[in-house]
Amino acid sequence: MKKLQLLFLLVCMAGVAMAGEKPWSHGRLVVSENHRFLQHEDGTPFFLLGETAWLMPQRLNRDEVKFYLQQCADAGFNMVQVQVLNELPSWNVYGHSSDEEGYWQHLDYIIEQAERQGIYLGLVAVWGSQVKSGRMTEERARQYGHFLAMRYKDRPNIIWLMGGDIEGDVHPEVWTAMATTIKSIDASHLMTYHPRGRTTSARWWSGAAWIDFHCFQSGHRRYGQRNGDKYYPIPDNSEEDNWQYVDSTWTRDPQRPVIDDEPIYEGIPQGLHDGRQPRWQAPDVRRYAYWSVFAGSCGHTYGNNAIMQFYRPGLPPAYSCQKPWWEALGDEGFHQMHHLKELMLRFPYFDRVPDQSLVVNNGEQYDRLMATRGTDYLLVYNCTGREMCLDLTKIRGGRKSLWWMEAATGRLTYMGEQPSDIVTLHPCVNGDGVLIAFDATKDYLNP
């Protein structure tokens, strides 16, 4: 009896230890050898699944910070991005300005709570508007970069973000000064740049020594929604094709991992500024995530209109926000992103490449099937549930095991085996999902 009790205790202790394991126990984050993914120093893959919490340091108190980050962890997010300074000076909910120590102690608390949950904090050092206005000068950027790096260089859960919804050619000397100062003190943490909508950081920073991976902001417009914009660096009627930014980023040398750091937000009006427009919903959010990742992104960042600004009654709502942030934590898309992360980690990670040649006679816009594969598996995202013609000979194996995964639920349905051939397939259910095929001798999934 005592032996059984001891065994039960050891099993429980092991479970606690596993539950308490943090990502950085595998070493710091680095770029993979093939320059397309992120991983830990011991070789463990890191699929970056981000959540957008721009105004958390300014608008949440400590109890709310703890609650929110617990919800993020439960939903499978492993990175949360915030604005350290949204303006100069910035103020937090306790009335502390960024010129006071109390402001930074509150940010310390946020970082500590994220660490407890196994979450990285993506720190946007200062929002781009403050550089564009001239408030953040080159000399001030050096001083500020030194302060940030000295304060947080020893934290295990930091990712640095330069920029903040701004082009890289707006006072580039300021971003260079801030980035190189931080990197000269803190070489252990990854750094990237958050650009303006419909652009990629590679456009300006492909040759910068300080940038470790690239970000693009695919933005919030629907097909054909140019809105009279004269600054328009993409073809008309390609607004929702966020996969194009992965393709364009990889044309730059040297090649670096890339991620959609600001796609459409759940619950935000299409086109952003007109509250009379339809709002982006969970199926749209899923489509952007799967399109980007299957095109080759090293992860994905989710956003929600209410959560990113932490709107509550009594505050002026931005972008026609209609619900408080705590209610938005129940939105479908917030709880569906982890299915993508778990799917990508089921299969051999580092040999995966985008390959649209898997699809015979692919379509455009919503009819486009997005395909990716490894040596012996392939994944095809279908956002409309339409018929698919796929070339199964592109991967190893004489016979293929076929599955369908519902993107909304992660539910897997076994579809049987097929010989290695060009086949026409129908999804098991209507709606968006992933066709999975792999060498039938492998046990990636079991019927």
Side-chain angles (χ1 to χ4, degrees):
M1 185 66 178
K2 288 183 178 180
K3 289 183 179 180
L4 288 174
Q5 290 175 336
L6 178 60
L7 178 61
F8 177 77
L9 178 61
L10 290 173
V11 169
C12 290
M13 291 174 64
V16 170
M18 288 295 291
E21 184 179 68
K22 302 297 189 289
W24 39 87
S25 66
H26 296 282
R28 67 186 182 93
L29 288 180
V30 296
V31 173
S32 65
E33 188 175 348
N34 63 14
H35 306 290
R36 294 189 285 111
F37 302 102
L38 301 180
Q39 64 175 64
H40 294 279
E41 284 181 301
D42 69 357
T44 301
F46 180 75
F47 182 92
L48 193 161
L49 186 61
E51 217 289 275
T52 303
W54 294 135
L55 292 179
M56 176 164 57
Q58 292 79 37
R59 288 192 168 177
L60 295 196
N61 64 37
R62 293 190 172 189
D63 288 339
E64 291 168 332
V65 164
K66 186 175 181 179
F67 169 75
Y68 164 70
L69 290 172
Q70 177 66 64
Q71 300 304 303
C72 289
D74 290 347
F77 295 104
N78 54 24
M79 190 277 282
V80 171
Q81 56 185 10
V82 302
Q83 297 176 20
V84 177
L85 299 178
N86 67 312
E87 54 187 356
L88 292 172
S90 292
W91 298 80
N92 66 24
V93 71
Y94 296 107
H96 300 132
S97 84
S98 52
D99 296 327
E100 301 175 273
E101 174 64 14
Y103 185 91
W104 299 100
Q105 289 178 356
H106 187 50
L107 183 61
D108 294 346
Y109 177 84
I110 291 172
I111 294 172
E112 289 166 3
Q113 289 302 310
E115 182 181 349
R116 286 174 178 264
Q117 297 296 339
I119 292 173
Y120 287 89
L121 254 290
L123 298 181
V124 181
V126 61
W127 202 241
S129 59
Q130 305 306 296
V131 172
K132 189 172 185 177
S133 68
R135 294 187 183 95
M136 179 63 72
T137 63
E138 183 177 356
E139 181 55 34
R140 190 173 185 180
R142 287 194 185 92
Q143 296 171 356
Y144 178 50
H146 183 275
F147 168 79
L148 285 178
M150 291 300 294
R151 192 171 188 109
Y152 298 121
K153 63 183 175 65
D154 296 324
R155 298 283 188 176
N157 60 325
I158 300 296
I159 296 174
W160 296 109
L161 279 75
M162 299 297 101
D165 199 30
I166 190 170
E167 307 95 315
D169 55 3
V170 177
H171 297 300
E173 73 283 356
V174 174
W175 300 117
T176 299
M178 190 183 302
T180 55
T181 299
I182 291 174
K183 276 288 191 177
S184 70
I185 298 167
D186 177 15
S188 296
H189 294 126
L190 296 180
M191 181 177 285
T192 187
Y193 185 94
H194 178 275
R196 179 175 170 162
R198 298 168 298 287
T199 65
T200 167
S201 61
R203 176 176 175 179
W204 303 283
W205 304 112
S206 61
W210 52 263
I211 197 163
D212 297 298
F213 65 99
H214 287 300
C215 288
F216 61 89
Q217 181 188 161
S218 57
H220 307 278
R221 297 185 185 181
R222 66 174 179 265
Y223 288 125
Q225 202 172 36
R226 187 183 181 107
N227 290 352
D229 192 351
K230 295 180 181 179
Y231 174 85
Y232 210 69
I234 63 171
D236 286 347
N237 298 310
S238 69
E239 290 83 355
E240 297 182 46
D241 293 338
N242 67 338
W243 49 266
Q244 69 175 310
Y245 298 98
V246 183
D247 294 348
S248 65
T249 298
W250 278 358
T251 65
R252 312 270 182 167
D253 291 323
Q255 189 178 83
R256 290 187 170 96
V258 62
I259 189 171
D260 192 346
D261 197 49
E262 188 173 333
I264 55 174
Y265 289 163
E266 189 169 13
I268 212 164
Q270 294 177 7
L272 199 61
H273 299 291
D274 185 353
R276 296 168 298 179
Q277 294 292 326
R279 293 174 187 263
W280 294 113
Q281 304 296 325
D284 307 302
V285 169
R286 296 195 301 268
R287 172 166 51 87
Y288 270 59
Y290 283 84
W291 271 0
S292 177
V293 170
F294 283 23
S297 288
C298 65
H300 190 70
T301 304
Y302 166 85
N304 184 293
N305 189 19
I307 298 171
M308 65 91 179
Q309 60 184 292
F310 290 98
Y311 170 71
R312 70 182 73 211
L315 291 175
Y319 309 114
S320 306
C321 188
Q322 296 177 327
K323 66 170 71 173
W325 65 269
W326 53 85
E327 289 185 12
L329 289 173
D331 285 356
E332 292 179 4
F334 182 87
H335 296 279
Q336 293 169 347
M337 294 295 101
H338 71 96
H339 299 307
L340 172 59
K341 180 181 74 172
E342 290 158 7
L343 175 66
M344 305 320 292
L345 293 172
R346 279 180 179 267
F347 298 94
Y349 196 76
F350 297 107
D351 67 343
R352 183 175 64 84
V353 295
D355 187 354
Q356 303 317 308
S357 73
L358 296 167
V359 181
V360 180
N361 298 323
N362 208 342
E364 296 180 348
Q365 295 190 348
Y366 303 130
D367 282 332
R368 181 180 176 86
L369 303 176
M370 193 65 65
T372 185
R373 65 167 177 82
T375 302
D376 55 13
Y377 70 93
L378 64 83
L379 310 170
V380 179
Y381 176 71
N382 183 334
C383 73
T384 64
R386 72 177 182 88
E387 182 180 274
M388 299 173 283
C389 186
L390 306 178
D391 187 351
L392 303 184
T393 69
K394 296 285 185 176
I395 60 172
R396 186 179 299 163
R399 292 187 65 80
K400 305 302 192 309
S401 180
L402 301 183
W403 297 72
W404 176 257
M405 190 194 87
E406 297 175 22
T409 65
R411 181 174 177 267
L412 289 159
T413 301
Y414 181 55
M415 299 174 65
E417 288 190 11
Q418 285 275 1
S420 190
D421 202 349
I422 296 176
V423 298
T424 298
L425 301 166
H426 300 269
C428 291
V429 295
N430 292 327
D432 64 320
V434 179
L435 188 284
I436 304 168
F438 55 86
D439 182 348
T441 65
K442 302 293 183 179
D443 60 353
Y444 298 133
L445 302 170
N446 291 306

